[in-house]
Amino acid sequence: TISDVVFDLGVEISLTSQQKTFKRVLWIGESECEIDFMSSNQQTVITAKWNNQGEPLGIADIAKALNLDPPDIPTELDLGLRSASFTYDFTNKTFVLTADSVNYGKASFVALKVADPVNKDKSSWQFAFALMINKSINLSDLPLVGKELAKIETISVGNFQIILASGTIDQPTVTRINNLILATGTGAPQLPVAALQRSVSIGITMAIGTQSIPLSVTINTSSSQTTDLNLSALPAVATSNGTVMLLDGIDDASGPGQKVKWFTIQKNH
C-alpha cells in the first residue's frame, strides 16, 4: 500500500513443449491490468487489458500521473475511459485495439495484412475503425427551432455510428475483422457484414414519437465524386397531433458532374 492505494500482483507461467504462456495481473486501487503472452508452434500473441471498476479515467488523471497541470475540461467532455485492450498477433500480423468511454461510447480499431487479390505474394496493411455512441439528443432542446419541433412531435437522434475503412475490404476479410473484434470479449462495435470500399460511413437513428428511422451517409474517399444522401425513400411519419411530416426529394443539378438533392418538409393537416 502506497498513499492509501493498494497494489497487488499476480503472475502465472506455464511452459510445455507445445506452448509457452506468461500471464501477469496487476491491481492498482480499483484498476486491473492484465498482460498475456502466448507462444506456440503455430502462433505468438500478446494481449493487454485494462479495466477500471471505480471512477472512469479522465484527462486530469493522466496529467497527474505525468506530473502535469490538469486542464479544465467539463465532465461530459472528458475522456471518461472505463476499459481498453489491445491484441497483437505476431504470426498473422493482426492488431486489435478497443476502448470504452462513458462519454464517447465504444470503439474498435483493427489493422491487418491482407494478401493482394492478383499477386498472392504481395500483401498490404488494411485499417478499419468503428465507433458506437449510445446517446440520444432531444432536438426539442435546440435553440431557435427546438420549440417549433416540439409542437409537432418529440424528435430525437441517437445511436451514432462511424465506420472508416482505409481501402477496399472484401466480405471474407470483413468477417475476419469482426471475428478478431468479437474475440476480445469487450463488446466493441463490429463492421457491417458486407464488403467495404475506402470510405467513411456515418449513421444515426432518428426517433419521431414512437417511430425510429435509421439514416446513414457514406462518403467514398477514393473518388472525387459527390456522395448522394437519398432521403426520398423515407416513409411519411404520422405525429401525435394529427400532422404528417413528409420528406420530399427534389433533384437540382448545380453544374456539370454535380449531384445535389434538396429536401423540403411539408405539413399536411
Side-chain angles (χ1 to χ4, degrees):
T1 302
I2 302 177
S3 300
D4 296 327
V5 178
V6 178
F7 291 79
D8 198 2
L9 176 66
V11 178
E12 178 182 331
I13 299 176
S14 175
L15 301 175
T16 67
S17 58
Q18 290 80 27
Q19 182 173 300
K20 302 176 181 64
T21 303
F22 173 84
K23 180 177 181 180
R24 184 178 69 176
V25 182
L26 176 63
W27 291 271
I28 305 176
E30 295 179 304
S31 295
E32 175 187 347
C33 182
E34 177 181 333
I35 300 176
D36 299 332
F37 177 80
M38 185 277 293
S39 179
S40 66
N41 296 331
Q42 292 79 30
Q43 192 179 28
T44 300
V45 179
I46 184 170
T47 300
K49 296 181 179 180
W50 173 82
N51 186 35
N52 190 1
Q53 302 293 340
E55 290 294 323
L57 182 70
I59 298 296
D61 300 314
I62 299 175
K64 183 178 179 181
L66 298 175
N67 199 26
L68 300 174
D69 292 331
D72 187 14
I73 300 177
T75 303
E76 60 273 13
L77 297 179
D78 203 356
L79 182 61
L81 197 62
R82 289 184 291 200
S83 64
S85 74
F86 82 83
T87 301
Y88 182 69
D89 188 328
F90 294 88
T91 307
N92 297 308
K93 299 295 186 295
T94 63
F95 174 79
V96 183
L97 177 67
T98 69
D100 183 8
S101 166
V102 295
N103 292 326
Y104 300 102
K106 294 186 176 184
S108 57
F109 172 82
V110 178
L112 74 169
K113 270 199 168 183
V114 180
D116 188 284
V118 179
N119 188 348
K120 298 298 183 181
D121 294 330
K122 291 185 178 181
S123 61
S124 60
W125 283 96
Q126 295 281 10
F127 307 93
F129 172 81
L131 174 66
M132 170 68 78
I133 305 176
N134 289 321
K135 286 194 173 183
S136 180
I137 300 176
N138 191 340
L139 299 186
S140 301
D141 296 332
L142 294 177
L144 301 179
V145 298
K147 292 183 178 179
E148 296 301 320
L149 291 175
K151 293 178 182 178
I152 302 173
E153 185 58 275
T154 301
I155 304 175
S156 63
V157 293
N159 293 331
F160 300 91
Q161 303 174 50
I162 299 177
I163 303 291
L164 285 79
S166 64
T168 301
I169 304 178
D170 59 21
Q171 199 279 327
T173 304
V174 168
T175 300
R176 182 184 173 195
I177 290 174
N178 286 338
N179 287 337
L180 290 171
I181 298 173
L182 185 63
T184 65
T186 60
Q190 301 178 30
L191 302 179
V193 295
L196 298 175
Q197 301 294 321
R198 181 180 177 182
S199 60
V200 178
S201 298
I202 302 173
I204 63 172
T205 299
M206 176 179 288
I208 304 177
T210 59
Q211 301 187 52
S212 297
I213 304 172
L215 305 174
S216 65
V217 59
T218 299
I219 303 173
N220 191 335
T221 57
S222 62
S223 172
S224 60
Q225 295 179 351
T226 304
T227 300
D228 288 335
L229 174 59
N230 189 355
L231 301 181
S232 58
L234 288 177
V237 179
T239 61
S240 59
N241 63 1
T243 64
V244 175
M245 298 176 60
L246 297 177
L247 293 171
D248 180 26
I250 303 174
D251 293 339
D252 179 23
S254 58
Q258 299 296 319
K259 296 180 179 180
V260 178
K261 289 182 182 291
W262 294 88
F263 300 92
T264 60
I265 298 179
Q266 303 171 346
K267 291 190 296 182
N268 294 344
H269 297 274

